Amino acid sequence: MMDLKGKTTLITGAGGYIGGETAVLFAERGANVAVCDVSEDAAMKIADRIAAAGGNAKSYPMDVSSSADVNRAVEKVMGDFGRLDICVHAAGGSARLAGKNSYAPLIKQRDEVIDKVLKVNLYGAIYVARACGAAMVKQGVGGRIIFLASAVAINGLGGCAEYSAAKGGVMSLMKSLAKELGAYGITVNAVAPGVVMRPDEKGDEERALNTNFLRTKCLASDVARLIAFMSSDDARFITGQTYVIDGGRTLAMKGSD
């Protein structure tokens, strides 16, 4: 098991499924965890879950679409923990961020949906990386930044163009930051999941089985373990890379499978 003992980790979107499982795993491996989410209640639930298991965590409300909110939260984390070693940016979401029935082909998509998806997914990644990167540079001991991208950024997805564009932007952002921050000993990488399902999710089980070649569900814990590897010393010489975890979904070509 890769040791993250004593590493202070800020995780955005940590009240959600992937972010929450990542926060719990990091705490189990000895990290101090700053649990950040737009929902203060969701963040507190994960922090309480970690504390009940004997881990060290604090919750912070953070709206990643607001640079002022991101800066405030990162400053508070630095004040509480005194350092920042790892940033996992898991906050995001597709058109459902704008409410029900918001998925549409781009030629029919509404401005408010496009704005919301880009603001949360792309602007949020920029704001969080800027604030956390600056904190890591200032403390001068290196660090890790890991973005949650998506398999749809690689192959695209009809009816989800604004989301795939935003996540493609995140992957390009990651490459540029790897070049900018490498001299400071900070690695920057991305993890791109395919379809991720909850253990108790039944209605879409067939969809999960039909969207990968392993014919099994991908769970948030699978993604969390990859993020933990990318955050560990075992990955010290890896930067500027996107690691796809999709059971081979991005291997498919239309008409061939």
Side-chain angles (χ1 to χ4, degrees):
M1 184 175 74
M2 281 165 280
D3 188 9
L4 296 171
K5 188 174 181 180
K7 301 288 187 181
T8 297
T9 304
L10 183 152
I11 303 178
T12 69
Y17 182 38
I18 295 176
E21 290 300 310
T22 302
V24 169
L25 178 65
F26 272 57
E28 289 175 349
R29 295 189 178 182
N32 308 310
V33 184
V35 182
C36 303
D37 199 272
V38 67
S39 167
E40 188 170 3
D41 287 343
M44 288 178 64
K45 285 179 181 178
I46 295 296
D48 289 346
R49 179 180 164 190
I50 289 171
N56 183 25
K58 289 189 176 184
S59 62
Y60 302 84
M62 179 196 285
D63 178 359
V64 300
S65 68
S66 164
S67 62
D69 210 46
V70 169
N71 292 340
R72 175 202 55 75
V74 172
E75 184 176 348
K76 186 72 166 60
V77 170
M78 292 297 293
D80 289 344
F81 289 100
R83 61 183 296 114
L84 179 60
D85 302 292
I86 302 163
C87 167
V88 178
H89 180 58
S94 54
R96 67 180 180 275
L97 290 168
K100 293 182 178 179
N101 303 317
S102 293
Y103 293 95
L106 186 61
I107 60 173
K108 297 181 179 180
Q109 189 57 281
R110 308 189 310 274
D111 284 355
E112 59 266 28
V113 177
I114 295 170
D115 290 344
K116 182 72 172 178
V117 171
L118 290 177
K119 192 74 172 177
V120 171
N121 289 283
L122 183 55
Y123 280 45
I126 292 171
Y127 295 154
V128 170
R130 180 175 63 180
C132 291
M136 291 176 182
V137 168
K138 185 176 181 180
Q139 69 186 10
V141 293
R144 302 278 189 272
I145 298 175
I146 297 98
F147 295 104
L148 260 290
S150 172
V152 304
I154 298 170
N155 280 9
L157 182 65
C160 213
E162 65 285 336
Y163 177 69
S164 61
K167 288 300 189 179
V170 169
M171 289 165 59
S172 291
L173 168 69
M174 173 272 295
K175 293 177 183 179
S176 295
L177 284 178
K179 295 179 178 181
E180 292 183 0
L181 298 177
Y184 301 98
I186 301 168
T187 67
V188 188
N189 294 287
V191 171
V195 175
V196 181
M197 296 190 67
R198 297 177 182 274
D200 58 351
E201 201 167 348
K202 300 297 183 183
D204 290 332
E205 184 168 355
E206 191 61 27
R207 174 172 174 257
L209 298 180
N210 289 334
T211 51
N212 68 74
F213 292 102
L214 297 178
R215 300 285 295 171
T216 189
K217 291 181 181 181
C218 176
L219 303 177
S221 55
D222 296 309
V223 182
R225 285 191 291 270
L226 177 55
I227 295 171
F229 165 69
M230 297 307 301
S231 303
S232 73
D233 290 341
D234 288 348
R236 71 176 190 85
F237 203 61
I238 301 171
T239 196
Q241 306 302 312
T242 297
Y243 275 64
V244 180
I245 177 168
D246 69 347
R249 183 185 188 191
T250 49
L251 296 173
M253 294 188 294
K254 186 177 180 181
S256 65
D257 302 304

